[in-house]
Amino acid sequence: MTKNKYEIIERFPTVLEHKTLWEAVGWGNINIEMSKQSIENSLYGVVVVCKEEVVGMGRIVGDGAMYFYIQDVAISPEHQKNGLGKLIVERLLDYIKERSHKDGLAFVGLFASHGNDKFYEQFGFKDHSPGMTGMFTVFE
């Protein structure tokens, strides 16, 4: 059995790549026009390519100075458990560290899929409750 060769590329996923990975990891269906606009308004993105196919992605949204939000870290199920998620998050965090305001702090947030909180803890993310509570709403 040959080991897969992966390449991480600094670029946003295409709308089709985004949709394919989104659905492959079980996040449901996504509106193409909405994802197109969302991707276009992102700060930074990476994809992981294997045999000319995008098998992973991650991106950053935010204001580019103080607030950064890690979004859409997803690896195609057949390529999970190969360290790709770690590579993506490290690359995203490097981007934030290099570009956050030099005289201030950078607030970096994310929402982990159920059961993935331990994965993000290795990068310093933690649950700050009860002192701070992450909250969100969804408009449909």
Side-chain angles (χ1 to χ4, degrees):
M1 182 157 105
T2 60
K3 186 170 172 102
N4 288 324
K5 183 178 179 203
Y6 298 103
E7 180 182 9
I8 189 163
I9 301 171
E10 293 181 331
R11 73 165 175 83
F12 299 116
T14 67
V15 174
L16 181 57
E17 292 164 347
H18 184 262
K19 176 181 173 42
T20 300
L21 285 169
W22 181 283
E23 293 175 357
V25 296
W27 292 343
N29 298 320
I30 190 163
N31 176 288
I32 294 290
E33 289 303 313
M34 181 177 65
S35 68
K36 179 180 184 293
Q37 185 176 356
S38 181
I39 292 166
E40 288 172 352
N41 287 310
S42 299
L43 295 174
Y44 178 74
V46 297
V47 294
V48 177
V49 177
C50 178
K51 299 177 185 170
E52 299 183 27
E53 175 187 1
V54 170
V55 299
M57 67 177 177
R59 61 190 179 105
I60 299 170
V61 298
D63 63 19
M66 185 173 174
Y67 295 103
F68 300 86
Y69 185 83
I70 293 178
Q71 184 64 46
D72 295 343
V73 175
I75 308 296
S76 182
E78 59 270 15
H79 294 276
Q80 292 177 1
K81 309 292 186 205
N82 289 315
L84 301 177
K86 184 175 182 179
L87 288 174
I88 290 171
V89 173
E90 287 173 343
R91 186 69 64 95
L92 298 176
L93 292 174
D94 286 346
Y95 173 91
I96 294 167
K97 290 172 189 172
E98 292 170 7
R99 287 162 182 85
S100 58
H101 195 279
K102 66 179 176 69
D103 295 325
L105 56 88
F107 179 86
V108 184
L110 61 79
F111 284 98
S113 297
H114 182 71
N116 287 331
D117 51 334
K118 295 285 185 219
F119 170 77
Y120 289 103
E121 286 175 359
Q122 70 182 305
F123 303 103
F125 291 91
K126 60 184 173 181
D127 180 352
H128 288 274
S129 61
M132 293 170 64
T133 303
M135 299 174 68
F136 69 96
T137 189
V138 177
F139 295 110
E140 293 187 52

